[in-house]
Amino acid sequence: MSFSIAQLLSDRNNDKFPLHEQHLNNQMVRVLKTIGYDRNYQKASGQYLYDQDNNEYLDLLSGFGVFAVGRNHPTIIAALQETLTLELPNLVQMDVSLLSGLLAEKILQHTPEKLTKIFFANSGAEAVEAAIKFARYTTRREKILHCQHSFHGLTLGALSLNGEEIFREGFGPLLPGCSAIPFNDLAALEAALSSKDIAAFIVEPIQGKGVNLPDDDYLPEVERLCKQYGTLFVADEIQTGIGRTGKFWAIDHWGVNPDMLLMAKALSGGFIPVGTVAMTSKIMDSVFNRMDRAVVHGSTFSKNNMAMAAGLATLQVLEDEQMIANCASVGDDIISNLQAMIPKYEFLKEVRGKGLMIAIEFGPPKSLALKAAWGMLETANKGLFCQMVTIPLFKEHHILSQVAGHGMNVVKLLPPLNLTQKDRDWIIRAFDKTIADCHQVPGSIWELGKNLASHAMKAKKTL
Ligand SMILES: Cc1ncc(COP(=O)(O)O)c(C=O)c1O
């Protein structure tokens, strides 16, 4: 009998949760079941997911940002199918491939002029690892500076630049010479850089955890200070890049020129893992400075044909469908509509973002009845209020969203860039109703709140 994935999926359609409980990360299944996100998705297209009863869900998570052009984009599928049928010589290794050259050329058409070289890896974290090594080698300095609340990935080097204790705890000792300063704090940056022993300052132009935006003078000053003290300026655009914020790069909002620019996630349309470092020729030529060092850093699967083809097709789709302009205008529209709700709702404190990277922040209310309810949740677990928003958004309105980070009351939207007016209306309607319901105490949402609080208290006791 011939091997068929479709047949396998159909035969084992009800087995995914038991299999994960038995053989993979059981805690993830527990989380999904506790918050009621345990659906049996069967299909995905663009910004939508479909379960086995063909219910449609609006995906505002986009696989943590990888599906910027939407899921299963037909142009990228066609490019991948074509690549497979061509039976190309892939990963010859003692060779260089045309597809990786073409993708490098295409990416560099979008980067600041100063960046003329590309290094390919297989993930965001691998791009970060490369940046750490390249910065150390080029500057012959050991130390790397990063920001509090930053996220640069979870491999050991990248984790050493991670601003959240929850991710780091128990995995140490991490890389020596890494330290954190507050984001958007130029005085702290200058104080750290003035020791003149820091190889690189790595920063997300807009922080993913919490969607924290810098002041307008921050990144230009980062560029200036890094130059002054001989530190490389590394912009981590793994989440913010490739159109997410309504411009090709988030750094384009401030016109800055980093020494290294990192991308991954959206670059290959969500199909094939990829990571990329764009850099100056000075950095590339310093690391790969002799023939016997030609393979001094790399990874077996990097530059594989499928990732490169997917990257080329994705950049074409972004251009042909003018998705970045759409992202800017739909994003602005969603942000201003959500901001207009602030005077109506005591719990709603701030809506911020750029393009389709949006944060909706909640905080303590003024009125006494609501204050007590808020206090109950915060005591049980800081940041729990957000679950009272994301769970009804999912269950009642079929909107998949996420909390922006640990211990914060911020809901984050990171949808595909092709959202339509219909999707925008769906989002605004659902948030309006859900936030209004949160202000009804007692009410059905607060029954959910009590349940969440009791789960959180039980979890704390078992620690
Ligand atoms: C800004 C940033 N850097 C690095 C990473 C790590 O990327 P990956 O998960 O592909 O390793 C992420 C992932 O969310 C990210 O948002």
Side-chain angles (χ1 to χ4, degrees), residues 108 111 115 117-118 259-263 276-280:
L108 291 169
T111 53
L115 307 180
K117 292 281 190 175
I118 290 287
D259 299 292
M260 285 190 254
L261 175 60
L262 315 184
M263 69 209 82
T276 305
V277 184
M279 70 193 94
T280 60

Side-chain angles (χ1 to χ4, degrees), residues 71-82:
R71 290 173 188 266
N72 292 319
H73 195 289
T75 305
I76 308 172
I77 289 180
L80 290 173
Q81 284 171 335
E82 191 186 4

Side-chain angles (χ1 to χ4, degrees), residues 64 66 122-128 150-155 158 202 204-209 236-240 262 264-265 274-275 412:
F64 295 148
V66 300
N122 297 301
S123 67
E126 270 194 27
V128 171
S150 57
F151 188 91
H152 299 289
L154 296 176
T155 53
I202 181 165
E204 300 153 85
I206 299 173
Q207 286 194 314
K209 298 282 172 209
D236 180 347
E237 293 248 23
I238 286 165
Q239 187 165 143
T240 53
L262 315 184
K265 289 195 188 280
V274 71
K412 178 171 166 187

